Amino acid sequence: FLRAFRASSASCSSAWETRKKSQATAGPNRDHSEEDVHHPNWICHRKHVFILSEAGKPIYSRYGSEDKLATIMGVMQALVSFVQDDKDSLRWLIAGNHKFVFICKHHMVFVTVANSGESPQQLALQLNYTCNQILSVLTLSQLNRIFQQRRNFDLRRLLSGTEKFIDNLWDLMDEEPSFILGAVRCLPLPSSVRDTIGHILQQARVPELVFALLVVDNQLVTLLRPKRYSLHPTDLHLIFNLVDASMAFRTAESWIPICLPKFDNAGYLHAHVSYIEDEESAVEVPGTPMKSGTSSSVPPQSFGACLLLLSTDRNAFFALSKCRSNVEQKMLKHNCIKAIAEAVGHRAAYRIAQTEINDLLHFMYKSKVTHQYTSPRLEAPYVTAGDRQRLIALYQYLHHRMHSAARPLRIIYHVTQQEAVLGWITNHFELYATFSPLVTKPVAISALNKLLRWIKHEEDRLFILNPQ
C-alpha cells in the first residue's frame, strides 16, 4: 500500500500540469472516475481523497472508481483497525514525499494521500471539511441511525449525485486560502452600497426567514441574521461550495435542504436559492482572486448575484419567493447589481498598487474579530498556475509554522529565491505578506505597519463590519 505511492513524483509532474490546465477550463467533473491503481495516471494525482465506512465499505474516491479501489480501501481500514486494537488512533504516515492522513469520525474513515507539501494538520483540516460536506447532505443523527442499524450499509446510495460537491470542495481548498484561515472573503464594496443592500434585505424580511446571504464569486456581499445567532465560517464555506458547484441555480428558483453542522448538525435549514440578474450590467469577470491571474478572463456577460434565503420551515418556499421578488425589485431600482458587477469586474478591481507600498507583491489579512479576510487580485509575477501554486504553498508554510502546537510563532520571516514572505499574528489579526526577495526584515515590518494603516482606512469597503 505504501510502496504504491512512493513512485517518483517527477515522472508525473508533466501529466499533472496537463490535467490541471484542462480542469481549469472544464471545471469540476468525474473524468477520472474509471481509474484504478493500475492506471498509469492514477499515481500521478497530487492529492487523493478516500472515504470509507468503519466496516471498510467504499463511499467516495476523488480519483478512480470506488468499486475498483475496494481492495486498497480495505487495506486502509485494516491499518486503522490495527492501531485501534491497541487503544490508539492512526493520525498520519509519511512515505517519501507523500503524507497519509487519517480521520475517523461518525462511523466513517477519511483518508488523504498528498504530495502537495501541506502539513498533516492542514490536510486533516481539509478532511474535516469533507466530513462536514457529507453532514450538509445527511445530518449527524441520520448517519448515526443508519450505521447503528446496519454497520456495512453502502452510503453511496444516499450520496449519489452529490459527489460533484465533494469534488468541487477539494478543488476550492487546493486554491482558496480561506479554508486554512478559517475566514470568509468579503467582496470589496463601497459601504454605502453594502448598507443599501442590507436595508433592502431588512425591509423585505418575512417571519419565516432566518438567514439571508448575497454571494458573488465565492465572496460574501452581505449577511442578514438574527441577533442571537451567527453563521460559522465553516458553514459559510459549505454554502459557497453549494453555489459554486452547481450551475442549475442560475436557471430557476431552487428549494434545497441543507444541514449546517456548526449551526445545528442534527437538523436541516431549507434554502431558497436564486440569482438576481441585471442584463444591462454586462461585466468582464476576472475570476476569484486566488484562482486567476490577469492573463485571461471571461468574455462580458450578463451579471447575477446569488441570493440565499434560509428558513427552518420546509413549507416556506412561496413566502421566500415573494421575499426574493421584493429584494430583486428594490436592488434593480437602486442599481445595486450594477454596483456589485463593477466591484467584481476589471474597472474597480482591488489591486496591490492601491496600497502604494514599494516591493509589496501580495498579502492576506484576516480579522480575528469578524472572521473575514481580504487580499488583492493576483498579478505579476503570479500570472501562471505554477507561480500561484508556489505563493499559496508559501502561505501554507507560514501558517503551519505560526500555528504549530509544539512551537507557535508570533512573527516569521522567510526568504526564497523568488520572494520574501513575512507572517504576523496578534490578538486581533493575522497578516501574511509577500515582498521582493531583497527586502530585509526591518523594511518588511515597516511596510506592514503602513499596510495596516491602509487596511484600517479602507475597512468599511473591505469588510462587513455591521451585519444586519
Side-chain angles (χ1 to χ4, degrees):
F1 170 60
L2 299 178
R3 193 182 303 118
F5 286 96
R6 296 191 66 176
S8 173
S9 59
S11 62
C12 300
S13 59
S14 59
W16 179 83
E17 287 295 339
T18 302
R19 282 196 304 276
K20 192 68 176 175
K21 292 177 181 178
S22 65
Q23 289 172 357
T25 56
N29 56 68
R30 301 293 292 170
D31 287 347
H32 309 286
S33 60
E34 295 304 315
E35 294 179 3
D36 61 15
V37 293
H38 303 294
H39 195 284
N41 290 333
W42 188 79
I43 193 67
C44 297
H45 297 293
R46 295 178 73 244
K47 192 184 293 182
H48 285 268
V49 184
F50 307 95
I51 308 174
L52 53 145
S53 68
E54 286 182 336
K57 208 80 165 171
I59 296 175
Y60 168 86
S61 174
R62 188 182 187 188
Y63 303 112
S65 165
E66 290 86 7
D67 291 328
K68 294 181 179 179
L69 297 172
T71 301
I72 199 168
M73 290 194 190
V75 175
M76 295 176 184
Q77 193 275 336
L79 287 171
V80 171
S81 298
F82 179 79
V83 177
Q84 286 177 342
D85 287 342
D86 288 335
K87 302 187 184 303
D88 206 342
S89 60
L90 179 59
R91 298 172 60 192
W92 67 75
L93 303 169
I94 296 178
N97 294 325
H98 287 82
K99 296 182 180 72
F100 298 69
V101 181
F102 299 77
I103 284 182
C104 300
K105 296 185 72 172
H106 312 316
H107 307 282
M108 295 178 289
V109 180
F110 299 83
V111 185
T112 182
V113 181
N115 183 25
S116 58
E118 294 161 283
S119 70
Q121 292 83 0
Q122 290 167 345
L123 294 171
L125 175 67
Q126 295 172 15
L127 290 178
N128 276 304
Y129 266 103
T130 308
C131 179
N132 287 326
Q133 177 61 48
I134 292 180
L135 291 180
S136 73
V137 179
L138 299 171
T139 66
L140 180 58
S141 57
Q142 284 181 311
L143 278 175
N144 288 335
R145 184 172 62 252
I146 289 169
F147 284 116
Q148 286 170 2
Q149 293 175 353
R150 291 181 58 187
R151 187 171 180 270
N152 63 342
F153 182 80
D154 188 350
L155 202 61
R156 287 178 296 176
R157 291 162 51 186
L158 298 180
L159 295 176
S160 177
T162 66
E163 299 90 348
K164 67 178 181 180
F165 296 107
I166 304 179
D167 291 342
N168 194 76
L169 178 66
W170 279 88
D171 290 339
L172 286 177
M173 290 191 294
D174 282 345
E175 298 174 325
E176 258 291 340
S178 58
F179 295 89
I180 64 169
L181 289 175
V184 296
R185 184 198 298 271
C186 295
L187 178 70
L189 196 66
S191 59
S192 58
V193 177
R194 205 186 305 275
D195 290 342
T196 299
I197 297 172
H199 290 316
I200 290 173
L201 290 175
Q202 189 71 47
Q203 292 172 358
R205 190 170 194 162
V206 294
E208 295 85 352
L209 183 65
V210 179
F211 296 106
L213 303 88
L214 194 64
V215 178
V216 174
D217 201 20
N218 289 323
Q219 299 174 88
L220 186 62
V221 178
T222 193
L223 170 64
L224 178 69
R225 62 176 178 84
K227 290 184 179 179
R228 294 179 299 168
Y229 300 104
S230 61
L231 285 179
H232 193 276
T234 297
D235 290 338
L236 289 171
H237 290 152
L238 295 177
I239 292 173
F240 290 178
N241 183 58
L242 172 71
V243 174
D244 189 63
S246 178
M247 295 296 294
F249 296 133
R250 285 187 173 272
T251 60
E253 297 179 37
S254 301
W255 186 243
I256 182 171
I258 180 172
C259 173
L260 300 179
K262 296 294 185 179
F263 178 71
D264 179 12
N265 61 18
Y268 288 107
L269 289 174
H270 299 271
H272 180 283
V273 188
S274 63
Y275 275 78
I276 298 179
E277 296 187 346
D278 185 353
E279 295 183 356
E280 296 181 0
S281 297
V283 62
E284 187 177 349
V285 182
T288 55
M290 292 300 290
K291 281 187 179 181
S292 302
T294 56
S295 58
S296 63
S297 58
V298 179
Q301 54 184 295
S302 61
F303 181 82
C306 185
L307 177 66
L308 298 103
L309 306 174
L310 280 67
S311 173
T312 55
D313 186 355
R314 68 176 65 184
N315 300 313
F317 174 82
F318 294 105
L320 296 185
S321 180
K322 184 177 180 180
C323 174
R324 181 256 182 204
S325 297
N326 293 335
V327 170
E328 178 183 39
Q329 181 181 5
K330 292 180 179 179
M331 287 187 67
L332 293 176
K333 178 182 178 181
H334 291 86
N335 293 319
C336 295
I337 298 299
K338 182 178 180 181
I340 294 172
E342 290 177 350
V344 173
H346 280 303
R347 284 173 291 174
Y350 172 20
R351 308 184 69 169
I352 192 67
Q354 293 177 236
T355 65
E356 299 181 348
I357 300 176
N358 294 332
D359 295 317
L360 180 62
L361 303 179
H362 192 264
F363 72 88
M364 296 192 311
Y365 174 91
K366 172 190 172 181
S367 168
K368 288 188 173 183
V369 177
T370 62
H371 296 285
Q372 300 167 18
Y373 92 99
T374 184
S375 66
R377 286 191 60 230
L378 285 172
E379 301 175 284
Y382 305 109
V383 294
T384 67
D387 292 332
R388 295 193 294 272
Q389 187 64 41
R390 186 183 74 252
L391 177 64
I392 294 173
L394 283 172
Y395 286 150
Q396 290 170 340
Y397 170 76
L398 294 186
H399 183 273
H400 170 62
R401 289 289 306 276
M402 291 194 294
H403 290 270
S404 171
R407 189 185 176 189
L409 301 175
R410 285 286 184 177
I411 191 168
I412 180 173
Y413 178 71
H414 179 69
V415 181
T416 69
Q417 290 184 346
Q418 291 89 357
E419 54 261 311
V421 287
L422 191 146
W424 187 7
I425 292 182
T426 71
N427 294 330
H428 303 290
F429 66 81
E430 291 184 29
L431 182 56
Y432 305 83
T434 307
F435 297 89
S436 301
L438 298 180
V439 171
T440 62
K441 183 177 179 180
V443 172
I445 292 176
S446 175
L448 290 193
N449 284 317
K450 182 178 179 180
L451 176 61
L452 290 172
R453 291 192 293 272
W454 181 86
I455 292 173
K456 180 65 176 178
H457 183 265
E458 298 287 331
E459 65 178 357
D460 287 344
R461 182 173 68 94
L462 300 178
F463 302 110
I464 301 175
L465 299 179
N466 299 302
Q468 297 294 320

